[in-house]
Amino acid sequence: MSCHQSLERFLGRQIKVLNHAFGRRIREESSARGLDELTIMHGRILGYLKHNQDRDVFQKDIEEAFNITRSSVTGVVKLMEQKGYIRRESVAGDARLKKLCLTELGDQVCERSFQVFLDVETLAMQGFTPDEIDTFFSLCQRIRANLNSPKEGPHGKNHPIPGQGV
């Protein structure tokens, strides 16, 4: 493989390009539907809270679910609270502990943003057969497994990826 190989044939680049295209289209559709103040991360957090309504969700859960730092979550949660999407409620037995709850506005915005997500998802999969879609998801799962596996790589057992240190 040469460093002059076309960038179009690199999997990581294609994934990045697709992610950018999804994000751009979601922002465009959200804006067209009056959701322009909602960031993609806000939508993800609203969806997480909606999906986990049957249990108490705390800031720590958001940190872990989205692999983001405490300070980042603190900022996002404060902004979402200011916009009226969520509220913090004390937990019985420990007034210092605050669970995160959707407000009525947050629930409505969550539903609307999820519809945007579904519409963009449908657009992206347009023209694919069910078998092609199944193959795509199967390939994605295999790529994740390869990347998460401590197995021997192309440069020998547990050898670092070139350019990533020794």
Side-chain angles (χ1 to χ4, degrees):
M1 189 178 313
S2 164
C3 68
H4 299 291
Q5 181 179 355
S6 170
L7 291 176
E8 299 305 313
R9 297 296 299 174
F10 283 98
L11 182 61
R13 174 158 169 78
Q14 288 302 314
I15 291 169
K16 183 176 181 176
V17 167
L18 284 172
N19 185 55
H20 179 75
F22 263 94
R24 185 181 62 243
R25 190 58 180 251
I26 286 172
R27 285 187 299 278
E28 289 169 358
E29 291 295 323
S30 294
S31 180
R33 299 179 199 193
L35 295 168
D36 27 6
E37 287 190 22
L38 188 73
T39 68
I40 290 174
M41 182 54 73
H42 291 166
R44 289 177 177 160
I45 291 172
L46 291 173
Y48 183 85
L49 292 172
K50 178 105 173 151
H51 183 75
N52 289 284
Q53 284 183 16
D54 59 333
R55 68 179 190 91
D56 289 347
V57 175
F58 302 96
Q59 183 170 318
K60 184 90 173 140
D61 297 315
I62 302 296
E63 293 168 23
E64 292 171 4
F66 298 102
N67 195 27
I68 52 180
T69 64
R70 171 190 247 161
S71 61
S72 293
V73 174
T74 297
V76 170
V77 166
K78 281 183 182 177
L79 186 57
M80 292 177 72
E81 196 173 19
Q82 288 170 358
K83 291 179 180 274
Y85 300 148
I86 63 173
R87 68 180 176 279
R88 297 179 217 214
E89 293 181 359
S90 295
V91 176
D94 189 347
R96 297 169 299 165
L97 203 52
K98 306 283 186 199
K99 66 181 179 178
L100 305 176
C101 302
L102 283 174
T103 62
E104 188 175 328
L105 174 62
D107 190 56
Q108 292 168 2
V109 168
C110 180
E111 291 294 330
R112 290 173 55 209
S113 67
F114 187 65
Q115 189 57 56
V116 168
F117 174 78
L118 288 178
D119 292 347
V120 171
E121 199 59 25
T122 299
L123 175 65
M125 301 309 275
Q126 203 170 33
F128 289 92
T129 67
D131 284 345
E132 288 172 326
I133 293 168
D134 288 344
T135 298
F136 173 78
F137 284 111
S138 175
L139 292 171
C140 288
Q141 190 281 325
R142 286 173 53 195
I143 291 167
R144 271 194 314 274
N146 287 344
L147 293 174
N148 291 330
S149 173
K151 292 179 186 173
E152 184 172 319
H155 301 285
K157 188 169 186 134
N158 297 323
H159 191 280
I161 297 170
Q164 297 297 314
V166 189

